[in-house]
Amino acid sequence: MTKSVCVFCASSSRIDIQFLNTAYRCGEVIASAGLKLIYGGGAKGSMGYVANGAISKGGHVTGIIPQFMIDLEWAHKGLKELIIVETMAERKSRMLQLSDAVLVLPGGSGTLEELFETISLKRLGMYLKPIIILNEKKFYDPLKSLLEGTVKEKFMDKKHLDMWDFISGPDEIIDAINRAVKWDEDAIKFAAV
């Protein structure tokens, strides 16, 4: 049963307002469904917007942030729960441990790194939960083609395409989580192609 959603997203405030508004709506949708939001603890960009969206609906928000970001004053000051860790790797690990699903919004290298590590863990049967990729403004169309190409060129098995789901808007989040293909630890048996 899904109780919490980890959101990987951007900290840039210079992005198109549409991305920010979508992040806010994602927070609203997650909180309105009675789910806890787990995210990176930041106040700027999509991170701040997704947290604010959840807070606006009375949602429970847990931020997980490295100490150096606290020192830089990047932390969201309106959170009731902020977990401080030492490293970026520890942050990501804790976010995944505390969540029952992952939602990936458009973002830069950090967001992409989080997404790819989560996919790699799922491929090995070490993360079994839904991975939802929000393709706002067709941002992730090239990624979708790239992932399909890894299967076409036999770097991954066709079964691996079931590890994630692309959606086009926030109102599809809950349905996508609920329809996610069940994944189990036996995935390790076909991880090598």
Side-chain angles (χ1 to χ4, degrees):
M1 179 179 186
T2 304
K3 295 180 181 176
S4 59
V5 178
C6 167
V7 176
F8 292 134
C9 59
S11 61
S12 174
S13 296
R14 295 167 45 184
I15 58 177
D16 188 317
I17 190 68
Q18 184 176 337
F19 290 123
L20 298 174
N21 289 337
T22 294
Y24 189 91
R25 179 67 186 139
C26 288
E28 289 181 321
V29 167
I30 290 166
S32 295
L35 303 175
K36 184 176 182 179
L37 170 66
I38 311 293
Y39 88 114
K44 297 183 185 285
S46 298
M47 292 209 312
Y49 273 73
V50 74
N52 291 338
I55 291 167
S56 78
K57 295 294 184 182
H60 185 108
V61 179
T62 298
I64 302 175
I65 193 166
Q67 181 62 52
F68 80 87
M69 289 185 179
I70 298 279
D71 297 342
L72 292 168
E73 299 185 358
W74 290 358
H76 195 299
K77 297 192 183 337
L79 303 181
K80 292 181 181 172
E81 185 175 16
L82 186 66
I83 298 170
I84 301 169
V85 296
E86 288 304 311
T87 67
M88 295 291 280
E90 185 183 357
R91 175 202 215 182
K92 181 177 47 197
S93 177
R94 292 287 296 277
M95 290 170 75
L96 291 175
Q97 287 170 3
L98 294 175
S99 67
D100 298 314
V102 166
L103 173 66
V104 183
L105 305 186
S109 60
T111 305
L112 293 170
E113 186 271 333
E114 291 163 336
L115 168 61
F116 278 110
E117 180 163 339
T118 306
I119 288 173
S120 295
L121 291 171
K122 192 164 183 176
R123 179 175 175 172
L124 297 170
M126 296 177 180
Y127 184 81
L128 309 178
K129 300 161 186 176
I131 300 171
I132 311 302
I133 303 167
L134 199 152
N135 194 18
E136 177 75 18
K137 292 177 63 176
K138 300 185 179 183
F139 180 84
Y140 282 122
D141 278 1
L143 173 66
K144 188 174 184 184
S145 294
L146 178 65
L147 290 170
E148 289 169 354
T150 65
V151 172
K152 180 181 176 190
E153 297 297 337
K154 298 185 178 32
F155 290 105
M156 292 201 303
D157 192 280
K158 190 172 182 181
K159 291 182 234 177
H160 291 125
L161 293 173
D162 288 336
M163 292 191 297
W164 57 78
D165 191 8
F166 285 87
I167 60 172
S168 58
D171 294 325
E172 300 173 47
I173 294 169
I174 305 305
D175 284 343
I177 290 171
N178 291 334
R179 74 171 176 257
V181 173
K182 186 174 180 337
W183 204 255
D184 61 44
E185 294 169 1
D186 286 343
I188 191 72
K189 293 178 181 174
F190 63 90
V193 176

